[in-house]
Amino acid sequence: MSTLILALIAGAVVGLALGALGGGGSVLAVPALIYLLGFTPAAATTAGLIIVTATSLTALYAHARTGTVRWKAGALFAAAGLLPAAAAGAAASRLPQPVLTAAFAALAAFAAVRMLRPGHAVTGSAAGGARPAKAAGTGAGLGALTGLLGVGGGFLAVPALVTVLAFEMQAAVGTSLLVIAANSLASLATRGATTVGIDWAVTGPFIGAAILGAWDGKRLAAKVTGTLLQRTFAGVLLTVAAFMLIDALT
């Protein structure tokens, strides 16, 4: 199978994940770039941020049209992660590649376990009872993960928005895309000159397919139960985590 076709398929899957679940795009994008498309881990994390930024902005627009984005709360949550994302992005280039790979695998496994756990029952809009310091701390942690590992943080932002800020699921999915876009842009700001190893002939079609997939993911989310989507995605995450951990240790 040609590299271009692999890029298009991987991009479509990443877009579907972001559009349907409000996260998980980079957790799939980075391994696909490394193992299917031949990118180095360092180049893959940077390319992953570019892909996720473009795709999350597209998905954010789709969700905003249906009114599922809480702009004020999402902006405050994202703002707390901007500086940590920038600082961690600068530090990422100094870490050994096996360390980044192992850390990414551990994070993917953690996210899968969280998605398989029974969800918190939340109804209505944000309850407003979350402590600002706790929300800021969570946002800062997600920002640091974004910068260090080249992930948008959406697969952790969704459960955080539900449990910390008491968002209902649909609002958490839509608002997480704002958090992803902000964190990814902040991390990219520190990696702007670090584009060595990025094959734009592959990355470009990947982005195009991901953007189209994001629209399909938004429509899919309205037809398939959230529980089924989460369990399926969690299974994929566990598989990716196991593969990357074995690769890091060998």
Side-chain angles (χ1 to χ4, degrees):
M1 189 177 295
S2 71
T3 301
L4 178 59
I5 293 176
L6 287 174
L8 292 173
I9 293 173
V13 172
V14 168
L16 280 171
L18 276 168
L21 296 174
S26 50
V27 177
L28 295 177
V30 172
L33 290 167
I34 294 172
Y35 298 111
L36 294 180
L37 303 174
F39 283 53
T40 66
T45 55
T46 301
L49 284 169
I50 296 171
I51 292 164
V52 169
T53 298
T55 311
S56 61
L57 287 173
T58 301
L60 175 63
Y61 174 72
H63 279 268
R65 291 181 63 189
T66 59
T68 57
V69 180
R70 304 289 171 78
W71 294 99
K72 183 177 180 179
L76 290 173
F77 191 85
L82 293 181
L83 288 179
S93 61
R94 300 181 177 89
L95 293 176
Q97 291 187 355
V99 172
L100 287 175
T101 302
F104 201 104
L107 187 61
F110 172 76
V113 172
R114 286 295 301 270
M115 294 181 78
L116 288 172
R117 291 175 58 187
H120 294 259
V122 179
T123 59
S125 59
R131 297 177 181 177
K134 188 175 183 180
T138 305
L142 289 172
L145 290 174
T146 297
L148 186 64
L149 301 179
V151 298
F155 60 94
L156 296 177
V158 171
L161 288 169
V162 170
T163 58
V164 177
L165 299 184
F167 278 26
E168 72 277 13
M169 188 62 187
Q170 286 191 344
V173 169
T175 306
S176 74
L177 292 164
L178 176 60
V179 177
I180 293 169
N183 284 347
S184 297
L185 284 170
S187 182
L188 275 175
T190 67
R191 298 176 183 232
T194 312
T195 57
V196 177
I198 296 180
D199 185 349
W200 291 104
V202 173
T203 305
F206 197 120
I207 293 173
I211 289 174
L212 293 176
W215 285 98
D216 291 334
K218 176 65 176 67
R219 290 192 289 266
L220 179 65
K223 299 178 180 179
V224 181
T225 64
T227 300
L228 177 59
L229 284 172
Q230 288 188 2
R231 289 178 178 175
T232 301
F233 186 62
V236 174
L237 282 181
L238 286 174
T239 302
V240 169
F243 185 82
M244 294 189 76
L245 185 59
I246 292 172
D247 181 67
L249 296 176
T250 57

